[in-house]
């Protein structure tokens, strides 16, 4: 049963109470009334609360209806309030309504009482509902504002202006703090309503390139109708920070969309990554030196054998009785020297820091190149079994790091077989199905090059296996290993987006499986074209070693070129300056006392910007080569030692444009 309407009557006449109650009941309302006629009784009734409507006489002996209204309004209860009076007067009615009464009625005409009460209750209920919604909205706004200003992300909101331009609507405290840390003081209310380009140039103090970058991201996000993220170092007058920004359009893009910019200050993270990269590079260099120490005995043995062949065949050629025998001895001498050159190149590949340059590399070719080193260095009691894929094992890799990883795995396997055994090295192409096994995450389904290095050695316990890839963890005696080998392998494999799996058992050997994503092998390289002979073009030859300078000059004569040979780069530069047009090309060593080949080349191209320069390099220096390539437009590099055919090819490429 519906509860009766609780009506508080502020009335000094009991008959009027009966009259009002009867009129309400006649209108179909169930009511319970209470009458008060003094201020104190009225205040007490308000204190008890629970009233649905208050009906007050306009004039009481010691109290008035308007005073009753003021007391109600002071409490803020929102109970509907109606004034009734026996006094006829429009001015009184207007005064009552202005004071806040819901309606004004005459006692002589209560026909409007029921509609007025019903409407007043309905409107009061609606006002309470609206105030509750407004309070909830304000609370939500306060919570959102708290979150907005408490999060560590840099938050900015942009809205479209009347002319289609972007205008800033808000910025949070994290942005203000970050800008202040870089010498730019901005208050959030300074940017509200201002055009985006104006804010970024004059408030945020972005340089032109950064402002253009921000504008480009805005346009991309709006065109895509989806979040667009990018990273940039933001340089400001008092400092810089690395920001990772995501531009998030609302409404799927298009006209009327807003843009939320969510930025993160990732400076500390990027600096930590740089430190980790430097530490990893240092670890690789340290481990490379350890590997060289392990290989030193075998390399020295192999290299001394080669030197013995070089000396022997050279002496045989000197003492040969006829020209045919001398030529045969020289041919053998060239073959042995070529093997020595390959061995030196392999050693240098591990000894010097390698640039992190990714390019397609054949995993099979890496294993083939390492086989001579392994056979020369490992115990003769270790049988090496190699099985290589016929094709397809091409990976995007830094060649030097890939060599290092394969060598480390093989060296680790050899050290696990001190009494001899079998080392198996296999390369194959496998297809990983979806889903990829959990221990090979985060690899994706598809073709992968798989390197397997297996030994029949001592194996590892589970405790050792759990720590196998930890830096500096080793089971070897003190002084017999740094414990970097497998940790370097793990770092290289992860850096190349690969995965590594280990199967081992004490006394039953260990198998390492390395998976790397494959890349297309590409087209078959074109057949080499024989270099065209020279036509008497003059080449400036500069090498501080007189024997090498003389040898190069004689080779040039045989190849159809003329030469001007110098052992002093300063004298060579003066000769060129005297007649720059006399030389078709320059052939210079990279490392010379007084002036390097790179410095000489930079000076010569000031006379002739299109001058072909061939830089001969025995031990490449990454920074010097980068400087050379930037400075010399027609420059090329020829590794030492070079053969006559290689010299012919380099010069043919250099002077071809001159012909």
């Amino acid at each position: 049963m519906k509860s009766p309407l609780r009506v508080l009557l502020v009335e000094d006449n009991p008959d009027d109470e009966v009259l009002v109650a009867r009129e309400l009941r006649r209108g179909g309302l169930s009511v319970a009334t209470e009458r008060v006629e003094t201020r104190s009784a009225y205040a007490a009734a308000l204190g008890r609360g629970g009233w649905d409507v208050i009906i007050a006489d306009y004039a009481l002996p010691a109290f008035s209806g308007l005073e009753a209204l003021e007391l109600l309004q002071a409490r803020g209860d929102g109970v509907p309030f109606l004034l009734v009076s026996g006094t006829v007067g429009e001015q009184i009615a207007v005064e009552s309504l202005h004071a806040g009464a819901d309606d004004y009625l005459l006692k002589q005409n209560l026909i409007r009482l029921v509609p007025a009460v019903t409407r007043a209750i309905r409107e009061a209920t609606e006002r309470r509902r609206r105030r509750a919604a407004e309070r909830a909205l304000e609370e939500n706004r306060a919570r959102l504002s708290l979150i907005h200003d408490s999060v560590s992300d840099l938050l900015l909101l942009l809205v479209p202006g009347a002319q289609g331009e972007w205008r800033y609507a808000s910025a949070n405290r994290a942005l203000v703090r970050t800008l202040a840390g870089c010498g730019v003081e901005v208050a959030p209310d300074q940017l509200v309503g201002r055009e985006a380009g104006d804010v970024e140039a004059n408030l945020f103090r972005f340089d032109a390139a950064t402002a253009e970058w921000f504008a480009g991201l805005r346009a991309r996000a709006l065109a895509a109708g989806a979040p667009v993220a990018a990273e940039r170092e933001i340089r400001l007058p008092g400092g810089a920070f690395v920001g990772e920004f995501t531009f998030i359009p609302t409404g799927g893009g298009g006209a009327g969309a807003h843009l939320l910019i969510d930025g993160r200050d990732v400076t500390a993270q990027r600096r930590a990554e740089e430190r980790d990269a430097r530490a990893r590079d240092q670890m690789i260099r340290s481990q490379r030196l350890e590997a060289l120490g392990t290989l030193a005995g075998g390399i020295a043995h192999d290299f001394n054998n080669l030197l013995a062949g070089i000396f022997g065949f050279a002496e045989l050629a000197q003492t040969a009785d006829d020209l045919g025998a001398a030529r045969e001895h020289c041919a053998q001498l060239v073959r042995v020297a070529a093997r020595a050159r390959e061995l030196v190149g392999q050693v240098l590949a591990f000894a010097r820091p390698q640039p992190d340059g990714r390019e397609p590399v054949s995993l099979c070719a890496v294993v083939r190149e390492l086989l001579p080193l392994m056979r020369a260095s490992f115990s003769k009691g270790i049988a090496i079994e190699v099985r290589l894929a016929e094709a397809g094992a091409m990976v995007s890799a830094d060649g030097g790091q890939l060599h290092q990883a394969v060598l480390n795995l093989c060296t680790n396997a050899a050290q696990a077989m001190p009494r001899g055994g079998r080392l198996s090295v296999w390369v194959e192409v496998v297809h990983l199905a979806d889903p990829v096994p959990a221990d090979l995450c985060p690899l994706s389904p598809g073709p992968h090059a798989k390197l397997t290095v297996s030994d029949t050695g001592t194996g590892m316990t589970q405790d050792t296996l759990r720590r196998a890839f930890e830096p500096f963890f080793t089971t070897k005696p003190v002084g017999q290993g740094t414990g970097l080998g497998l940790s370097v392998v793990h770092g290289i494999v992860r850096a190349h987006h690969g995965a590594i799996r280990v199967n081992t058992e004490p006394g039953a050997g260990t198998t390492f499986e390395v998976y790397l994503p494959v890349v297309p092998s590409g087209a078959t390289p074109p057949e080499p074209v024989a270099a065209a002979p020279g036509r008497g073009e003059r080449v400036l030859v500069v090498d501080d070693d007189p024997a090498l300078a003389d040898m190069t000059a004689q080779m040039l004569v045989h190849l159809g070129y003329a030469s001007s040979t110098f052992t002093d780069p300063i004298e060579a530069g003066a000769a060129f300056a005297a007649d720059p047009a006399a030389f078709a090309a320059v052939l210079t060593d990279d490392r010379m006392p007084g002036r390097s080949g790179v410095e000489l080349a930079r000076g010569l191209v000031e006379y002739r910007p299109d001058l072909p320069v061939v830089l001969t390099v025995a031990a490449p220096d990454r920074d010097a080569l980068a400087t050379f390539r930037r400075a010399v437009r027609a420059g090329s590099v020829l590794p030492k030692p070079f053969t006559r055919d290689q010299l012919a090819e380099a010069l043919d490429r250099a002077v071809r444009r001159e012909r």
Side-chain angles (χ1 to χ4, degrees):
M1 183 176 180
K2 189 175 180 181
S3 299
L5 199 68
R6 295 195 62 203
V7 180
L8 178 63
L9 287 171
V10 185
E11 176 62 61
D12 60 331
N13 188 340
D15 293 338
D16 285 345
E17 177 187 5
V18 173
L19 180 66
V20 168
R22 184 178 59 195
E23 190 67 28
L24 291 174
R25 292 189 181 98
R26 285 178 58 189
L29 299 178
S30 174
V31 298
T33 63
E34 179 179 338
R35 183 178 64 85
V36 295
E37 56 182 281
T38 65
R39 176 187 291 269
S40 59
Y42 176 66
L46 289 181
R48 292 195 304 273
W51 303 107
D52 295 307
V53 63
I54 298 173
I55 302 175
D57 193 356
Y58 180 78
L60 287 88
F63 190 40
S64 74
L66 290 181
E67 289 178 276
L69 178 60
E70 289 178 3
L71 288 175
L72 177 66
Q73 290 173 334
R75 292 178 56 86
D77 290 345
V79 180
F81 189 95
L82 283 74
L83 277 169
V84 294
S85 174
T87 305
V88 178
E90 182 179 341
Q91 182 63 34
I92 295 175
V94 171
E95 179 186 357
S96 301
L97 294 176
H98 281 174
D102 290 276
D103 210 337
Y104 180 89
L105 302 168
L106 293 175
K107 288 183 179 181
Q108 298 89 337
N109 183 17
L110 291 179
I111 192 170
R112 285 198 316 110
L113 179 62
V114 171
V117 167
T118 304
R119 179 179 57 80
I121 292 174
R122 183 176 64 250
E123 290 178 353
T125 302
E126 182 60 31
R127 284 196 301 271
R128 284 194 292 269
R129 185 181 297 113
R130 187 165 56 249
R131 282 197 297 269
E134 289 172 352
R135 283 195 299 270
L137 181 60
E138 285 300 319
E139 290 172 359
N140 284 337
R141 285 175 176 168
R143 283 193 290 268
L144 288 174
S145 178
L146 179 63
I147 295 171
H148 184 259
D149 283 328
S150 299
V151 296
S152 59
D153 283 16
L154 320 180
L155 297 179
L156 291 157
L157 181 65
L158 290 91
V159 297
Q163 306 301 321
E165 77 283 8
W166 287 106
R167 294 186 176 275
Y168 277 94
S170 68
N172 70 342
R173 292 176 184 170
L175 175 80
V176 172
R177 289 194 298 270
T178 300
L179 293 177
C182 296
V184 176
E185 299 291 340
V186 175
D189 57 357
Q190 286 182 277
L191 56 79
V192 174
R194 291 179 61 171
E195 194 269 329
D198 175 37
V199 169
E200 290 155 7
N202 299 315
L203 284 183
F204 296 166
R205 309 280 294 279
F206 289 168
D207 57 44
T210 301
E212 183 178 352
W213 184 78
F214 259 69
L217 284 179
R218 286 197 296 270
R220 283 173 52 196
L222 190 63
V228 173
E231 186 175 301
R232 184 180 180 88
E233 182 176 23
I234 307 297
R235 296 186 176 276
L236 299 172
F241 70 97
V242 180
E244 185 180 75
F245 296 94
T246 303
F247 283 66
I248 308 168
T250 64
H258 295 180
L259 274 177
L260 174 67
I261 304 176
D262 182 358
R264 293 175 55 233
D265 183 352
V266 295
T267 307
Q269 179 181 340
R270 295 296 174 262
R271 299 295 181 263
E273 289 172 355
E274 291 172 3
R275 289 194 297 272
D276 289 345
R278 288 194 295 269
R280 184 177 67 249
D281 291 344
Q282 182 63 41
M283 184 183 297
I284 291 174
R285 286 194 290 271
S286 299
Q287 205 283 329
R288 187 179 290 117
L289 293 176
E290 180 191 354
L292 281 174
T294 303
L295 297 171
I299 293 172
H301 175 271
D302 214 37
F303 199 70
N304 280 331
N305 283 343
L306 295 172
L307 288 176
I310 291 171
F311 281 118
F313 284 119
E315 290 175 349
L316 287 173
Q318 284 180 325
T319 59
D321 294 332
D322 59 76
L323 184 59
R327 284 182 172 173
E328 177 58 30
H329 294 323
C330 286
Q332 292 283 6
L333 177 62
V334 170
R335 282 192 286 271
V336 175
R339 289 172 53 199
R341 178 181 61 186
E342 292 173 1
L343 183 59
V344 170
Q346 291 166 350
V347 173
L348 285 176
F350 306 123
R352 63 173 176 260
Q354 299 296 313
D356 187 15
R358 302 291 176 87
E359 59 183 1
V361 176
S362 168
L363 192 53
C364 296
V366 169
V367 174
R368 289 193 195 97
E369 292 168 7
L370 288 173
L371 274 177
L373 281 175
M374 292 190 291
R375 288 189 171 123
S377 306
F378 297 165
S379 166
K380 300 303 180 187
I382 296 176
I384 301 177
E385 175 191 4
V386 177
R387 292 194 314 205
L388 303 178
E390 294 183 1
M394 299 289 293
V395 298
S396 177
D398 178 287
Q401 291 188 9
L402 200 57
H403 276 78
Q404 185 71 48
V406 176
L407 178 64
N408 285 9
L409 288 173
C410 293
T411 301
N412 190 74
Q415 292 172 346
M417 299 182 288
R419 296 182 178 84
R422 185 178 69 256
L423 169 62
S424 300
V425 184
W426 304 334
V427 176
E428 57 187 318
V429 177
V430 298
H431 189 93
L432 295 180
D434 191 6
V436 173
D439 61 338
L440 295 182
C441 289
L443 297 183
S444 302
H448 287 74
K450 176 184 176 184
L451 167 71
T452 303
V453 177
S454 181
D455 65 68
T456 57
T458 56
M460 290 183 280
T461 65
Q462 289 302 305
D463 288 340
T464 301
L465 177 59
R466 278 192 290 270
R467 301 188 62 191
F469 295 111
E470 289 183 14
F472 307 109
F473 172 74
T474 179
T475 58
K476 301 183 183 71
V478 176
Q480 295 188 20
T482 63
L484 293 173
L486 290 180
S487 64
V488 168
V489 171
H490 186 266
I492 291 173
V493 171
R494 291 297 298 272
H496 286 77
H497 309 294
I500 188 167
R501 170 189 281 168
V502 187
N503 295 306
T504 186
E505 186 177 338
T510 301
T511 298
F512 287 87
E513 297 176 353
V514 174
Y515 295 80
L516 296 170
V518 300
V519 296
S521 57
T524 304
E527 292 294 326
V529 178
R535 300 177 182 177
E537 297 94 333
R538 182 164 295 277
V539 178
L540 179 66
V541 178
V542 190
D543 199 307
D544 63 300
D545 188 315
L548 290 180
D550 182 58
M551 177 202 72
T552 304
Q554 292 190 48
M555 280 187 174
L556 290 174
V557 171
H558 284 286
L559 294 173
Y561 296 95
S563 71
S564 296
T565 306
F566 294 87
T567 57
D568 184 339
I570 296 177
E571 292 181 3
F576 182 88
D579 189 5
F583 300 95
V586 175
L587 185 74
T588 178
D589 187 27
D590 67 331
R591 296 186 182 181
M592 297 179 291
R595 194 178 192 188
S596 71
V598 175
E599 292 172 343
L600 174 63
R602 292 175 66 180
L604 299 183
V605 295
E606 291 182 3
Y607 294 96
R608 281 179 52 192
D610 60 343
L611 175 68
V613 179
V614 179
L615 188 71
T616 60
V617 177
D621 180 291
R622 178 174 54 183
D623 294 336
L625 291 181
T627 301
F628 173 72
R629 291 189 175 98
R630 287 195 301 269
V632 183
R633 187 167 58 194
S636 59
V637 176
L638 177 62
K640 282 185 176 182
F642 50 81
T643 64
R644 186 175 65 175
D645 289 343
Q646 290 169 336
L647 177 62
E649 183 181 354
L651 282 175
D652 183 36
R653 288 198 307 268
V655 304
R656 187 177 298 150
R657 63 172 57 88
E658 299 288 323
R659 293 174 175 168

